[in-house]
């Protein structure tokens, strides 16, 4: 029995996992402290001036509690810090430390190497087309009518 064809969301998740696995393995092999995919996502979504935990959670698509755990573990590793939010006395911002900035720059350089490997494997034209498709304006998610499907 053959497996059903994977839909586009499944393929995108697999592609994301491929990049994450390569990045995390490469960073760990280089002697960097291991981080989880959720912790890496925090770095990918931080603003230079700092970001609130609730905003990080929204950007990553996780609960505030999950974002809070990822942030505080990264604070414990010395990669992030919390500072008062100048716009609100009741909240704080998460910012990258000098060590966190160094590790993040190394991660970005590693991603560039991984993208080069991908281009070698699937071709430069396919890699360029993939980037163009993913950065094209898709607009708001559509509200579509779900088709009626009969029970098997």
């Amino acid at each position: 029995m053959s497996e059903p064809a994977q839909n586009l969301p499944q393929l995108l998740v697999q592609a994301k996992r491929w990049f994450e696995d390569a990045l995390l393995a490469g960073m760990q092999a280089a002697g960097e402290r291991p981080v989880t995919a959720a912790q890496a996502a925090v770095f990918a979504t931080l603003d230079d001036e700092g970001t609130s935990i609730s905003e990080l959670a929204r950007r990553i698509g996780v609960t505030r509690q999950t974002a809070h755990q990822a942030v505080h573990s990264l604070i414990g590793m010395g990669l992030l810090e919390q500072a008062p939010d100048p716009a609100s006395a009741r909240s704080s911002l998460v910012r990258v430390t000098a060590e966190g900035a160094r590790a993040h720059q190394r991660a970005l350089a590693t991603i560039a190497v991984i993208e080069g490997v991908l281009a070698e494997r699937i071709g430069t034209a396919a890699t360029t087309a993939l980037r163009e498709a993913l950065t094209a304006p898709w607009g708001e998610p559509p509200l579509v009518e779900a088709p009626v499907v009969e029970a098997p």
Side-chain angles (χ1 to χ4, degrees):
M1 179 178 217
S2 65
E3 292 185 31
Q6 294 178 317
N7 61 41
L8 193 53
Q10 290 170 321
L11 295 171
L12 288 169
V13 167
Q14 286 180 356
K16 181 178 181 285
R17 173 54 64 91
W18 183 87
F19 269 99
E20 287 174 346
D21 289 350
L23 173 61
L24 298 177
M27 293 291 283
Q28 192 168 0
E32 296 290 342
R33 292 187 198 165
V35 297
T36 66
Q39 290 168 332
V42 167
F43 273 97
T45 57
L46 274 173
D47 296 325
D48 290 339
E49 65 278 359
T51 311
S52 70
I53 289 179
S54 58
E55 179 60 18
L56 286 171
R58 187 192 67 74
R59 291 177 185 178
I60 298 169
V62 298
T63 65
R64 285 187 73 239
Q65 293 80 5
T66 300
H68 192 270
Q69 288 174 339
V71 164
H72 282 279
S73 62
L74 291 165
I75 289 171
M77 296 168 68
L79 301 174
L80 296 181
E81 63 184 5
Q82 278 190 294
D85 183 348
S88 171
R90 295 176 47 189
S91 45
S92 61
L93 297 176
V94 177
R95 298 188 307 206
V96 177
T97 63
E99 176 61 15
R102 184 205 57 77
H104 185 62
Q105 288 304 312
R106 191 170 197 182
L108 293 175
T110 303
I111 289 170
V113 173
I114 296 166
E115 287 183 17
V117 170
L118 181 64
E120 289 173 5
R121 292 184 179 181
I122 69 171
T124 302
T127 304
T128 299
L130 178 60
R131 179 179 296 281
E132 288 172 356
L134 294 173
T135 57
W138 291 17
E140 291 295 317
L143 177 59
V144 299
E145 187 175 322
V148 175
V149 176
E150 298 295 322

